[in-house]
Amino acid sequence: MTAAITSLDFSLLYWIQAHMRNDFFDGFFKLVTHLGDAGIFWIALGIILLCFPKTRRSGHSASSFTAATAVFFHYRKAGIAAYILAALIAFSRLYCYVHFPTDVLTGIALGLCVGIVLVPRLSRQLAARSK
C-alpha cells in the first residue's frame, strides 16, 4: 500500500514538472510558497479581519483548519489531504450561501492560529504525561 501511495505521489509530481513548469509559474509559486513561511501572512490576515467589528467567523472553517493543522503537525502527507478537505469545507460555506467570504477567511485564520499555537503545546504536554 505504501509503495502504491509513493508511486502516486511521484507520478503527480512528475506530471506537474512535465506539464506545468514555466518561467511564470517558477516565480509565481516561489512567491506563493513564501506567503506560508511561519504562518505570518495568515496571522496578519486574521488580525486584520478581526479589526472589522461586523465580521463574523465560520465555525466550520475554523474547526476544519484547526483539525487539519493538528493532523499536519503529526503526519505531513495526511495533513495536506486534511488541508484540502478543510478548504473544500470552507468553500462549501460560500457555495451554500451561508457565510460571507470574510466570515470564512476569519474562520480559516482563527483555525490556523489556534492550531499553530495549541497543537505543539498540547503535544508536549501529552508526551510529558506518557513518560
Side-chain angles (χ1 to χ4, degrees):
M1 181 67 166
T2 303
I5 293 171
T6 301
S7 176
L8 181 62
D9 282 343
F10 279 108
S11 293
L12 179 59
L13 289 172
Y14 293 148
W15 186 90
I16 290 169
Q17 296 303 309
H19 299 290
M20 296 183 70
R21 286 274 324 197
N22 62 56
D23 290 339
F24 173 77
F25 278 165
D26 287 353
F28 175 75
F29 283 113
K30 283 180 184 175
L31 173 67
V32 169
T33 200
H34 289 297
L35 289 176
D37 291 352
I40 300 298
F41 175 80
W42 298 114
I43 293 167
L45 178 63
I47 291 168
I48 290 167
L49 292 173
L50 290 172
C51 292
F52 296 99
K54 292 186 179 184
T55 299
R56 302 173 308 154
R57 63 159 177 79
S58 165
H60 284 77
S61 300
S63 60
S64 296
F65 274 86
T66 299
T69 301
V71 172
F72 186 78
F73 266 92
H74 296 286
Y75 309 99
R76 297 281 186 200
K77 288 183 182 179
I80 291 168
Y83 277 128
I84 291 168
L85 178 59
L88 289 170
I89 290 169
F91 181 76
S92 77
R93 306 309 287 165
L94 302 173
Y95 185 86
C96 293
Y97 217 75
V98 294
H99 277 291
F100 291 105
T102 51
D103 300 343
V104 171
L105 289 173
T106 302
I108 290 169
L110 178 63
L112 286 169
C113 288
V114 168
I116 290 167
V117 170
L118 293 183
V119 170
R121 177 175 288 160
L122 292 173
S123 295
R124 284 191 301 273
Q125 288 176 349
L126 290 172
R129 285 186 187 174
S130 67
K131 288 183 180 179

